């Protein structure tokens, strides 16, 4: 069921989104060779608590998972696509890329957003991957307006990516707001005109995931981390977006 948000919920999500963007930017500034993904997780949780908010992913058991997610931040390095678990053993190295994915609970509402950032100097191929994935997110957001469908978002992303990188299948964007994951499903590829119609008051997370190599992914033995099947790198960008009367508003920005 798609939940349209009240004015009060939207106002709370707008504030949550500002805080969210601030925290993601500050965690990104900590990314450098030698830091562990666990240290980034600790920093993110501290920032959320300083705001008086709660991490949304910690303790949350998504569909299909056997155990609750154990951390605040999701850290997916290089060939890890999404859902990487922070670890004291995972030290970042020059030339890596890391996706930082965060969910925040503020006054009973949720926002969801992610960025992928370089660790020191990265290759041109990785730089292209980050730029195209981020731009794919904004192209998807541009397709959001009342009367458009979720398929229009997927179609816009797929058309823009145009086989330069492969689009991960089996993972997608989603409604967000009253829950961290709610209806509808927001595809990263597909046909225009298909799926649910967008209506003012809907709040959705759009999150393209692009791979340098194959589109196929596997789940690692920890039961959470999704990695590319061929071990080649992957990037992920995400915003929480409100459908407005005239188009849309990105909520997870400053
Ligand atoms: Mg999400």
């Amino acid at each position: 069921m798609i939940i349209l948000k009240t004015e009060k919920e939207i106002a709370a999500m707008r504030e949550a989104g500002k805080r969210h963007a601030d925290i993601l930017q500050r965690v990104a500034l900590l990314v450098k060779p030698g830091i562990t993904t666990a240290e980034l997780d600790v920093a993110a949780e501290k920032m959320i608590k300083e705001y008086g908010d709660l991490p949304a992913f910690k303790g949350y058991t998504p569909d299909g998972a056997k155990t609750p997610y154990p951390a605040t931040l999701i850290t997916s390095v290089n060939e890890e696509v999404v859902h990487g678990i922070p670890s004291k053993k995972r030290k970042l190295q020059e030339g890596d890329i890391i996706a930082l994915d965060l969910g925040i609970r503020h006054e009973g509402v949720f926002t969801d957003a992610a960025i992928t950032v370089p660790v020191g100097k990265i290759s041109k191929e990785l730089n292209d991957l980050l730029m195209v994935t981020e731009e794919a997110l904004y192209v998807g957001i541009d397709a959001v307006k009342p009367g458009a469908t979720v398929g229009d978002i997927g179609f816009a992303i797929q058309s823009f990516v145009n086989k330069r990188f492969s689009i991960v299948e089996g993972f997608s964007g989603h409604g967000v707001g009253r829950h961290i994951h709610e209806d509808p499903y927001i595809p990263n590829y597909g046909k225009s005109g298909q799926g649910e119609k967008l209506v003012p008051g809907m709040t959705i997370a759009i999150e393209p995931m692009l791979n340098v190599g194959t589109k196929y992914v596997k789940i690692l033995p920890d039961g959470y981390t999704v990695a590319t099947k061929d071990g080649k790198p992957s990037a992920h960008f995400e915003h929480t977006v409100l459908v407005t009367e005239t188009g849309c508003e990105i909520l997870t920005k400053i």
Side-chain angles (χ1 to χ4, degrees), residues 112 174 181 205 207 238:
D112 193 358
H174 49 90
H181 290 133
E207 50 179 321
E238 176 177 22

Side-chain angles (χ1 to χ4, degrees), residues 23-24 26-27 30 37-59 69-74 86 101-104:
I23 292 166
L24 267 186
R26 286 195 284 141
V27 174
L30 300 174
T37 52
E39 288 174 290
L40 297 174
D41 178 56
V42 168
E45 185 160 328
K46 186 165 174 272
M47 291 174 198
I48 293 173
K49 291 194 167 153
E50 280 167 359
Y51 268 127
D53 294 330
L54 293 168
F57 298 145
K58 198 172 193 174
Y69 186 74
T72 290
L73 192 64
I74 293 174
D101 189 355
L102 193 63
I104 288 180

Side-chain angles (χ1 to χ4, degrees), residues 26 29 35 62 65 76 81-82 98 124 151 176 180 193 215 228:
R26 286 195 284 141
L29 288 174
I35 197 165
S76 307
V81 179
V82 284
I98 179 170
K124 184 186 176 301
V176 58
I180 187 68
K215 68 183 180 183
T228 57

